[in-house]
Amino acid sequence: RILVAWDETVATEPKTIVRGVRIAPRAGAVAMDLYFDEAGRIVRDSELRALGIAPKHWARRVIIADSMPVTAPKAAPPPVPASASRAASLPAVVLPAPDVEKARREDAEGLEGLPKGVRRIGVVQDLASPVHVRENAASIGEWAELPHGRRVWAALFLAEGAVGQRLHLGGVRLPAGAQAMVYNAGQPDERYTVEIDPDGEAWTATCFSERVVLEVTAPAGAAVNVSVDRAVYLYTGPGDWSWDKAAGTCTIDVSCHGDWADLSYGVGGLGTVGRLGYLWCTGTLLADRDPETDIPYFLTANHCVEDQAAANSLEVYWLYQTTECGGTAAHPRTAPRTAGGAEYVAGATYASGPDFTLLRLRGAVPAGVAFVGWDSGSVPDNNEVVGIHHPAGDYKRISFGRIDAGDGTGLPSARFHSVRWFLGVTEPGSSGSPLFAAESRRLIGQLYGGGASCAYPNEPDYFGRFDQTFPIVQSYLGDTVRLVRPNGGEYWASGEEVRIEWFSTPGLNTSVRIDLLRNGTPVTTIAEDTNTSQSFRWRVPANLPYASDYAVAITPASRTVRLDTSDAFFAVGPEVLITGLSPSSGYAIGGEEVVIKGRGFAGAGDLSVFLGGAPVAQIEVMSDTELRCLTPLHLPGPVAATLTNAWGGGAALENAFTFVEVSPAPQVDLDANRDGETNAIDLQLVINAVLGGPGDGCDVNRDGRVDSMDIQAAVLAAIALR
């Protein structure tokens, strides 16, 4: 039974993705995680560690992160002056005109295959004749010389009637000192540097114009290579609704609730190129647990950004909202933007997970944007919640509701929150937006979709549960340094060399401090500052008190904030060893005295000793190296000797003892009382003799002593004679 399945990018090999699957055997055994590579081969634990894939902790303490303080939004910097090239004199590339009316009809009717809750605002087209730019030539236009040993190439891309454009660049090779830019030919201050991804590709930022200029500048003689092969034609877009109204009239301007202003600054509208066109969703910039980092992790729905190809085209619009309740939002071209795509970190679909994608933005986030806090704990029904989103691609709105138990017809409650709104709703374009717990103001989910609208305000919406997402992304957002071993249940023997292991978020300094705790109180420092490769060896001091309430804490060496401890206690006790038994064999009926030799027997509390899994009787510790006991009843054959002490430490010795079967000869004399016949009285005499009574004639097996073996011999011989 599959509980959840997800994709995760390998930290050490960014182009490689593994698929994780958590499965629960139907017979009720413990659930386990399996990983598969892209060829479907199972990835072993040792390989996962080498790849930087952290083990998942599905049942552990609740972890929270608070939002990082945010300053007031800052004004945009003054525009960069327009380039030396002029649009009026540039060669033009005329892009094909799509069937916009057909696209609008599809959107109105519900485009088949369009993910739920996503708003399409543009179509993607291939250029009939791709544009190629080389160091000495271009398929259209020419290089022009600039002062100071530089040169420039530029071309105008004309998409008649378009609200805006994005261009796809491939095969890009820009040497040091070279750069590519796009700008709005009608408003040259709307210009963006093109961010090239690791594969030499890029989607330019959106320029809101039907006339867009692509410009490449480079040092003279530099080896440049750029090709333009695809383009996005925006037939509608954020802030431009000439053909239709924007968000519904029942939606609520986020600026009308100033107490949510700071958190709203961490919510952004996102555009991405998908299989069905240029799509609009919403997402959230998440805080991590390290107050000294500002890694731009961005959470949205998986159906908005389903893989690395879609992530490469991502651009995020920040602070696209009104400045006062009921005010008018500025055109999104003036909103701060993060372009250049993102790295796909991990994700899961709605069919096998909580419909999430975690991204790491490549570009910087602007000043005034918030890093939003979150809570990995589960949230009960009836709790009040708040959603902040970009409905229909419009400026930011806010909705208020509560978690609903659901009627059983929606998405599974194990992975999704069912929410019913009592103020405001969501719409297409809101997908991926955050759900906040109203009381804590921490993120607890992201929007999949649902039936809520201004026409049907009482229909439920469904949000992927963050407590189900968190175990998959914990190594990024949670404990940036996380303890792997010891994590509870281990046994450290006095004087033993043990290994401590931890996992560090990829790219972080692994220098850490390691402390030993007892019942939560520091006992000793294991390592003050170690930068070894996520493991450290330590010899357990001989004078460390024996106890079962130890734990290890791990902290980045440069700070005092403890990031992780063992999930449960482990024990420290004496080293235990079994070296042999004397005698090493005995009768299967048991009851024979044996001496077990080894080490660690004294001062270790109650001991449990087993031969072949059967407990021995009358354990007596004679010294630290010897103990005496009586053998149990057991089937004939060689068996292992095992021992555990009061702290959970143990030892084992294979083939330590052999149980043998008693086979008395027919001539055995069972007439113990010498009355001329063999009967139950004789057996009783043998038993009495073993217990300390008269022993004449009771050495039935003729081994020179009267003991429990004579009872067995008497019984077996009686059966044989009968």
Side-chain angles (χ1 to χ4, degrees):
R1 191 162 61 88
I2 295 178
L3 301 178
V4 63
W6 68 94
D7 290 330
E8 187 171 354
T9 301
V10 172
T12 57
E13 300 176 16
K15 295 181 183 179
T16 303
I17 287 181
V18 297
R19 163 147 288 204
V21 180
R22 184 159 181 78
I23 59 174
R26 293 189 182 277
V30 177
M32 62 183 294
D33 295 345
L34 293 177
Y35 289 86
F36 301 86
D37 63 18
E38 292 173 298
R41 183 184 65 88
I42 291 180
V43 184
R44 295 175 299 178
D45 289 347
S46 59
E47 295 174 296
L48 290 171
R49 182 170 180 80
L51 293 172
I53 298 295
K56 304 299 181 280
H57 289 219
W58 297 97
R60 58 172 297 156
R61 67 189 188 280
V62 173
I63 297 176
I64 62 173
D66 289 321
S67 300
M68 293 175 61
V70 60
T71 58
K74 296 182 179 179
V80 178
S83 72
S85 58
R86 291 293 180 264
S89 59
L90 291 175
V93 179
V94 180
L95 302 177
D99 189 340
V100 173
E101 292 306 317
K102 177 176 180 290
R104 289 174 177 169
R105 286 196 305 272
E106 290 175 343
D107 295 339
E109 296 169 0
L111 180 60
E112 183 178 356
L114 187 67
K116 187 176 184 65
V118 174
R119 180 68 183 253
R120 185 174 69 170
I121 59 176
V123 295
V124 184
Q125 303 182 104
D126 294 330
L127 273 62
S129 299
V131 175
H132 300 290
V133 182
R134 305 286 188 268
E135 55 267 30
N136 297 316
S139 59
I140 183 172
E142 297 180 350
W143 286 92
E145 298 300 323
L146 293 173
H148 310 296
R150 296 181 63 77
R151 55 185 184 157
V152 60
W153 171 92
L156 174 70
F157 289 80
L158 176 60
E160 188 173 352
V163 172
Q165 296 183 60
R166 296 187 73 183
L167 304 176
H168 179 261
L169 279 56
V172 180
R173 186 174 68 248
L174 295 179
Q179 69 174 3
M181 282 192 171
V182 289
Y183 63 86
N184 182 334
Q187 294 181 293
D189 58 330
E190 185 192 347
R191 59 189 290 119
Y192 307 96
T193 300
V194 180
E195 304 290 343
I196 312 301
D197 72 24
D199 293 325
E201 298 189 25
W203 279 99
T204 67
T206 298
C207 281
F208 289 95
S209 175
E210 63 180 15
R211 301 169 68 244
V212 172
V213 174
L214 173 64
E215 172 185 292
V216 179
T217 58
V224 174
N225 191 78
V226 176
S227 295
V228 184
D229 57 359
R230 304 174 74 198
V232 169
Y233 182 107
L234 270 70
Y235 54 84
T236 185
D240 189 304
W241 304 102
S242 57
W243 63 274
D244 195 2
K245 67 181 179 66
T249 56
C250 73
T251 58
I252 303 168
D253 184 348
V254 71
S255 297
C256 295
H257 292 269
D259 52 335
W260 287 89
D262 280 0
L263 285 178
S264 76
Y265 296 151
V267 180
L270 65 93
T272 184
V273 177
R275 291 177 287 107
L276 298 173
Y278 186 56
L279 310 178
W280 177 272
C281 285
T282 308
T284 313
L285 187 67
L286 296 187
D288 60 37
R289 295 242 301 161
D290 188 340
E292 297 187 13
T293 64
D294 54 359
I295 302 172
Y297 289 119
F298 192 75
L299 180 71
T300 187
N302 188 259
H303 68 264
C304 292
V305 184
E306 61 185 2
D307 54 25
Q308 183 61 61
N312 285 338
S313 67
L314 186 79
E315 63 175 345
V316 182
Y317 294 78
W318 303 105
L319 311 177
Y320 175 35
Q321 57 199 91
T322 62
T323 56
E324 60 183 6
C325 181
T328 300
H331 193 283
R333 73 164 59 93
T334 65
R337 212 180 309 176
T338 298
E343 302 297 339
Y344 183 95
V345 175
T349 68
Y350 78 93
S352 60
D355 187 47
F356 84 93
T357 290
L358 183 69
L359 304 162
R360 184 169 53 245
L361 303 179
R362 291 179 182 139
V365 297
V369 172
F371 286 79
V372 171
W374 42 262
D375 188 334
S376 74
S378 60
V379 182
D381 294 342
N382 297 317
N383 272 31
E384 292 196 2
V385 290
V386 174
I388 299 177
H389 51 99
H390 285 281
D394 210 344
Y395 62 86
K396 207 168 293 175
R397 305 298 211 276
I398 190 168
S399 305
F400 298 86
R402 59 176 51 88
I403 296 177
D404 175 70
D407 58 7
T409 62
L411 294 173
S413 60
R415 301 199 307 269
F416 292 87
H417 291 304
S418 174
V419 173
R420 294 186 190 268
W421 306 109
F422 53 78
L423 195 60
V425 294
T426 64
E427 295 186 349
S430 303
S431 274
S433 61
L435 183 71
F436 297 98
E439 183 177 0
S440 70
R441 301 189 175 225
R442 298 188 181 101
L443 179 144
I444 59 171
Q446 68 288 327
L447 179 63
Y448 163 70
S453 67
C454 288
Y456 301 98
N458 295 322
E459 289 295 307
D461 275 342
Y462 298 97
F463 287 78
R465 289 172 46 167
F466 188 71
D467 63 318
Q468 300 302 302
T469 296
F470 183 71
I472 301 172
V473 302
Q474 180 181 348
S475 59
Y476 300 93
L477 299 178
D479 301 326
T480 50
V481 177
R482 192 169 86 233
L483 192 67
V484 175
R485 177 190 300 176
N487 209 36
E490 295 88 352
Y491 182 85
W492 282 4
S494 180
E496 175 190 12
E497 184 179 78
V498 295
R499 187 173 68 178
I500 301 162
E501 296 180 353
W502 61 94
F503 180 87
S504 296
T505 299
L508 290 184
N509 188 334
T510 58
S511 183
V512 297
R513 171 191 173 99
I514 307 171
D515 291 300
L516 182 67
L517 315 178
R518 184 172 177 190
N519 199 22
T521 302
V523 173
T524 187
T525 297
I526 294 174
E528 186 72 38
D529 184 353
T530 175
N531 58 3
T532 55
S533 182
Q534 302 186 42
S535 69
F536 185 78
R537 291 188 176 277
W538 185 61
R539 190 167 297 281
V540 180
N543 61 349
L544 201 62
Y546 301 160
S548 56
D549 57 355
Y550 282 99
V552 161
I554 195 160
T555 306
S558 60
R559 295 184 293 280
T560 59
V561 178
R562 183 182 298 166
L563 289 183
D564 202 15
T565 60
S566 307
D567 282 358
F569 291 142
F570 63 89
V572 172
E575 181 187 16
V576 183
L577 184 67
I578 298 176
T579 58
L581 276 70
S582 178
S584 60
S585 64
Y587 292 116
I589 197 172
E592 291 192 89
E593 182 181 287
V594 296
V595 174
I596 299 178
K597 300 180 179 181
R599 184 166 61 245
F601 302 155
D606 293 336
L607 297 175
S608 298
V609 182
F610 300 84
L611 291 180
V616 304
Q618 299 183 23
I619 299 173
E620 179 186 355
V621 177
M622 303 165 64
S623 68
D624 191 59
T625 59
E626 288 189 344
L627 64 82
R628 185 163 49 202
C629 61
L630 298 180
T631 61
L633 175 69
H634 200 281
L635 293 174
V639 297
T642 58
L643 180 150
T644 57
N645 62 22
W647 321 115
L653 180 64
E654 295 296 325
N655 300 319
F657 189 81
T658 301
F659 286 100
V660 296
E661 183 177 1
V662 176
S663 298
Q667 67 271 22
V668 168
D669 183 5
L670 297 184
D671 186 11
N673 61 2
R674 302 294 189 266
D675 63 356
E677 62 181 46
T678 299
N679 53 32
I681 301 301
D682 297 293
L683 180 57
Q684 185 64 56
L685 287 173
V686 174
I687 294 173
N688 290 339
V690 171
L691 296 177
D696 183 36
C698 293
D699 183 12
V700 180
N701 62 1
R702 306 293 192 267
D703 64 354
R705 59 181 178 175
V706 176
D707 55 23
S708 61
M709 293 301 100
D710 294 293
I711 297 176
Q712 178 174 320
V715 172
L716 294 177
I719 292 173
L721 291 174
R722 186 174 181 183

